[in-house]
Amino acid sequence: MASAQSLLVIERILRDRSGVWEQIRDDRDLGPLIGQLLASAAISLALYGAVLGASNGALQAVASAVKLPILLLVTLVICLPTLYLFNLVFGARLSIRQAVALVSVAVTVMSTLCLAFAPISLFFLVTAPHYSFYKLLNVAIMTLTAFVGLKFLVGGMRSMNQPAGVPAVSVPAEQPVAVQPVPAMAGAGNHGEPVALPAAGAPTPANGAAPARPVPPAPERQASMALLYVWIVVFGFVGTQLAWTLRPFVGSPGEPFAIFRHIEGNFYVDIVRTLFGL
């Protein structure tokens, strides 16, 4: 039952995005929400990882199903403190739980989209089993899904940092002044001129000063979004380097099964080499 609820949380994100942002902004029941999001992400990535590793046998499928969720969650743990401190420095009002919930939404969107692409990846694995093409296809899938997930993060951060609407403060109009003729014998004016008297119920300012008008509060300073984009770049570099460290996920044909490969080179050089070898 818990797994089913976790898998359905993506539907709520897509259908009621503003409601999710509001729940995170109000800090309501974030513990269960974060648990559902991370469980959904882990299950989705495990299934997609099994499809990735299936190109090189059952052992590689199991290893990739375990390593892919670890890859994304460890990247999240490494980069989350930087995101939180960036937002504190530049005026955000987020707590650490709210920051975790926002990033968990982005990770869940990315992971579920990867799972949605799994049948396409499996189709090309069956109909065109070419190692270089299959690896580049899945790199493209994960890049696209990461882009969509991080757009959700940007949208959520904008929603969190949007200053609350300043309520309109009504400035009361000046009370009407009643002009009444006063007889000269009353001593209110010379030659019997009309004397202006305040209307009934109007406040009488001391010493004849004008009544003070309430000043509306100054709007809150909106948090800067500039460093969020820097953080997204950092997140991408950390994720790709960690993926290179935890490889293989697909498994090179002709090589024996191994949980990890010897660390050499880097992810970007390998992608360029694969493109030229294709």
Side-chain angles (χ1 to χ4, degrees), residues 119-217:
I120 298 175
S121 178
L122 189 59
F123 170 77
F124 281 100
L125 174 62
V126 173
T127 59
H130 188 278
Y131 170 71
S132 297
F133 172 77
Y134 189 67
K135 180 167 73 172
L136 290 176
L137 171 67
N138 286 281
V139 168
I141 288 173
M142 297 193 72
T143 302
L144 174 62
T145 57
F147 177 77
V148 176
L150 291 173
K151 279 193 67 80
F152 269 75
L153 175 62
V154 171
M157 195 66 72
R158 281 204 181 105
S159 176
M160 297 300 106
N161 292 337
Q162 188 70 28
V166 178
V169 179
S170 59
V171 178
E174 295 183 358
Q175 296 290 341
V177 177
V179 179
Q180 300 175 358
V182 180
M185 66 184 64
N190 296 326
H191 309 292
E193 298 93 341
V195 176
L197 297 177
T204 304
N207 302 324
R213 295 173 177 239
V215 179

Side-chain angles (χ1 to χ4, degrees), residues 56 60 131 247-248 250-258 260-262 264:
N56 203 34
Q60 187 62 61
Y131 170 71
R247 76 189 198 285
V250 177
S252 302
E255 292 190 15
F257 166 74
F260 302 108
R261 300 282 186 208
H262 180 66
E264 57 181 358

Side-chain angles (χ1 to χ4, degrees), residues 34-54:
I34 293 172
Q36 291 180 7
L37 291 170
L38 294 181
S40 178
I43 294 171
S44 300
L45 287 176
L47 294 175
Y48 180 67
V51 173
L52 279 181

